[in-house]
Amino acid sequence: MTSDNVRLAHEKSIREGTLKVLNRLEAGRQSLRSILRDYRAENAIITTIFAGIEFLSISIIRFRNTIDFYLSRGSGPLNKKKLPSSTRNLLRIAIYQFYWTNVPLSVIIDYLSQLDRQCIPIMKRIGQVDIGKALARLSNEERLSIDLSHPTFLVRTMLDNLGENETIELLADNNNVPSSYIRPNLLLSTPEIIEEMNEIDGIDLESNPVEKGIFRILTGLSQIVKSVPFASNKVLIQDKASYLTARVLDPKPGEFVWDACAAPGMKTQLLWELMKQEGRLVATEINPARYQVAKDRSKDLGLEDVEWRLEDASKNPVENADKILIDAPCTSTGMVRSHPSYKWRLNKKSLFSIMTIQNKILEGVLSAYSRSPGTEIVYATCSILPHEGESQIDSVIDRYNVELVDIPELDRAGYTDFACSKKVRRLFPHTHRTDGFFVAKMRIMP
Ligand SMILES: C[S@@+](CC[C@H](N)C(=O)[O-])C[C@H]1O[C@@H](n2cnc3c(N)ncnc32)[C@H](O)[C@@H]1O
């Protein structure tokens, strides 16, 4: 085959694979990540083709609102809901390739003619859409929701809490691929491992740590993932916000620390490292499958002496701890750069049910420790919603014998207009180059 033919065959395999992935996603039983994992396991495909399928399907989910807006304009009388799911997904691929990656319309029409001829007139109409004109007729909130591809609820909440300019910056940055960070696992290695990694061909790490022991990966993420130090857990990839959150608890050697919502155990590893493996660290997790994976992986990370327990953190399973980390389950709306599908699964019902769990854990811990003055508790979520941050803290702070502790190491206060605003902290993708996180630190008073 000529190199042109090889390229065309690759492009065809990527389109077909992406179509299968999107069709499975539409069936609604699995997350995008697990569909991609299964697809790779079931199909003998080369790495570059799988990477292409992964990139294309994640990009289409990332820009789903905008793509579907084009689709609804182009499908005209054929209401998009009446199109078979597979036709709709094929058109989503075509729209993304036409508007985002500049594939010529003639090339797109050519492949549509081989796969599903009814797409051709629709795609021709889509190719004529004047999006600027179409968006101009919408309200501000709807326009941002389509232009920046986020659900209207998220747009409205951000407009209320960040104002228009910053909302646009945040939502636009949410559509970028995130920065990745690497740190040495000091339970199994030394700080020098980072210099060694930097010597590997293709890997470029920012020369200074961005925050004490964590480095931004400038290039070479795929080489790192294939490297021996990564495979043997001597280096770890972790978002900077997740790393900083665990540091805010500031555990010391010899203390008794409880990591209340611990799986998969990334913060547990850091807590034990900061404790210099002295003292007692109990990690609890309610989900049996996640507990088992975290417990097994824990040994590979160098955490032999950490006690893992399958427990509900809201039911006071660990007494007498000096410091407690509640890294609560949440909507993960701070992580939509790496997991764009998280923004589309957000709805009132799921938000209220997750808020109830957060509140139960927070109240359970605060009431169990209300007679243990001095105990320090960090509550965190990887969410940009005030419902899972400031509102949760405001709902408990006056009802328990607890004070908010300053967090000078993080620079940005919480959303305004909450009682806790000045003392709590937020990290954002567009300002901190991290996942979006909320962090509050409390101390039980005498
Ligand atoms: C955000 S994740 C924790 C991430 C982890 N701290 C890390 O850094 O790797 C939240 C975890 O809390 C667990 N969880 C939810 N409800 C819980 C409860 N009532 N008690 C203990 N764990 C809970 C979830 O199953 C999930 O694994």
Side-chain angles (χ1 to χ4, degrees):
M1 270 214 263
T2 65
S3 63
D4 256 4
N5 286 345
V6 172
R7 181 180 54 79
L8 290 173
H10 277 196
E11 287 172 5
K12 185 167 180 278
S13 305
I14 290 172
R15 269 193 312 272
E16 289 172 359
T18 304
L19 185 59
K20 285 186 187 143
V21 167
L22 295 179
N23 287 346
R24 263 199 223 177
L25 186 66
E26 199 113 315
R29 282 186 292 275
Q30 266 182 295
S31 72
L32 179 60
R33 292 275 165 190
S34 82
I35 294 170
L36 284 166
R37 230 186 353 259
D38 288 357
Y39 187 85
R40 180 157 216 189
E42 290 160 12
N43 295 279
I45 43 174
I46 58 171
T47 308
T48 47
I49 291 184
F50 178 73
I53 294 171
E54 189 178 36
F55 182 79
L56 187 54
S57 40
I58 291 178
S59 302
I60 288 168
I61 300 307
R62 181 170 281 140
F63 294 107
R64 204 187 73 182
N65 246 16
T66 325
I67 290 174
D68 282 0
F69 186 71
Y70 279 113
L71 185 51
S72 67
R73 299 276 125 177
S75 52
L78 264 174
N79 178 320
K80 79 174 160 107
K81 289 227 163 74
K82 288 191 192 138
L83 288 172
S85 139
S86 180
T87 304
R88 217 165 45 233
N89 285 329
L90 182 57
L91 281 163
R92 284 177 172 142
I93 294 172
I95 294 168
Y96 178 77
Q97 294 200 315
F98 179 66
Y99 279 108
W100 275 262
T101 62
N102 298 324
V103 175
L105 194 58
S106 56
V107 172
I108 288 173
I109 299 294
D110 187 43
Y111 74 64
L112 290 178
S113 69
Q114 291 159 36
L115 291 168
D116 188 343
R117 294 198 66 82
Q118 71 163 320
C119 294
I120 297 173
I122 303 176
M123 191 58 211
K124 282 186 177 161
R125 278 198 298 271
I126 289 171
Q128 306 292 320
V129 170
D130 180 345
I131 190 139
K133 207 165 149 194
L135 289 178
R137 295 191 202 108
L138 304 178
S139 71
N140 195 27
E141 195 179 293
E142 285 169 330
R143 190 171 44 76
L144 291 176
S145 160
I146 289 173
D147 198 20
L148 299 169
S149 238
H150 280 72
T152 44
F153 169 71
L154 207 53
V155 174
R156 194 177 317 129
T157 308
M158 290 303 107
L159 285 172
D160 287 348
N161 289 283
L162 286 179
E164 180 155 349
N165 290 345
E166 212 181 346
T167 295
I168 292 172
E169 278 177 51
L170 168 64
L171 302 187
D173 200 57
N174 267 350
N175 289 332
N176 292 330
V177 175
S179 298
S180 298
Y181 295 88
I182 186 170
R183 66 179 175 89
N185 177 355
L186 298 181
L187 301 175
L188 299 177
S189 185
T190 61
E192 286 70 42
I193 188 94
I194 294 295
E195 286 157 39
E196 289 166 31
M197 294 296 293
N198 221 353
E199 314 264 285
I200 299 176
D201 229 16
I203 296 178
D204 190 9
L205 307 175
E206 214 161 47
S207 50
N208 292 317
V210 281
E211 283 293 336
K212 291 186 179 142
I214 191 161
F215 299 76
R216 191 153 68 96
I217 301 169
L218 301 174
T219 57
L221 179 60
S222 58
Q223 281 95 328
I224 291 175
V225 172
K226 283 186 234 146
S227 71
V228 174
F230 181 76
S232 51
N233 297 305
K234 290 187 172 162
V235 293
L236 302 168
I237 291 175
Q238 182 176 25
D239 185 70
K240 188 175 120 191
S242 163
Y243 170 87
L244 291 172
T245 301
R247 289 198 75 107
V248 169
L249 189 68
D250 194 22
K252 297 276 190 313
E255 287 180 334
F256 177 11
V257 177
W258 173 23
D259 186 0
C261 300
M266 287 307 286
K267 294 187 190 69
T268 320
Q269 185 283 338
L270 180 56
L271 295 175
W272 196 227
E273 190 180 295
L274 294 170
M275 292 167 75
K276 301 202 179 339
Q277 306 174 67
E278 287 169 31
R280 187 173 169 209
L281 177 55
V282 176
T284 56
E285 167 60 46
I286 199 169
N287 179 308
R290 289 174 66 86
Y291 159 80
Q292 199 54 54
V293 170
K295 191 173 175 222
D296 293 347
R297 182 163 150 70
S298 179
K299 296 195 185 77
D300 299 335
L301 291 177
L303 297 165
E304 285 86 357
D305 296 327
V306 171
E307 297 168 43
W308 277 90
R309 293 202 213 154
L310 181 61
E311 298 275 10
D312 180 344
S314 68
K315 296 197 172 141
N316 189 23
V318 180
E319 292 174 346
N320 302 319
D322 301 308
K323 289 181 179 167
I324 303 167
L325 175 63
I326 306 173
D327 187 23
C330 70
T331 56
S332 302
T333 42
M335 298 175 70
V336 300
R337 292 175 312 161
S338 19
H339 300 277
S341 58
Y342 290 174
K343 61 187 170 187
W344 306 121
R345 70 181 184 186
L346 186 66
N347 58 49
K348 270 195 187 138
K349 198 167 156 224
S350 62
L351 175 59
F352 286 129
S353 94
I354 204 96
M355 283 169 69
T356 308
I357 297 170
Q358 291 161 352
N359 188 259
K360 251 177 93 181
I361 299 174
L362 202 44
E363 298 235 5
V365 169
L366 290 177
S367 57
Y369 279 81
S370 59
R371 286 167 210 273
S372 307
T375 309
E376 291 190 341
I377 301 155
V378 167
Y379 169 86
T381 53
C382 56
S383 165
I384 53 174
L385 298 174
H387 311 68
E388 304 178 90
E390 291 82 351
S391 295
Q392 292 290 5
I393 297 302
D394 275 9
S395 77
V396 293
I397 206 73
D398 289 335
R399 291 189 296 110
Y400 291 92
N401 191 27
V402 70
E403 63 180 343
L404 281 164
V405 179
D406 281 329
I407 309 178
E409 57 271 47
L410 300 184
D411 60 3
R412 181 157 179 172
Y415 295 131
T416 48
D417 300 335
F418 292 87
C420 66
S421 299
K422 288 196 177 129
K423 293 271 189 173
V424 300
R425 292 290 179 267
R426 282 208 168 265
L427 292 129
F428 289 103
H430 66 294
T431 49
H432 296 92
R433 282 212 183 112
T434 62
D435 285 338
F437 254 77
F438 170 84
V439 191
K441 187 169 185 176
M442 293 162 275
R443 188 183 298 122
I444 306 287
M445 292 197 289

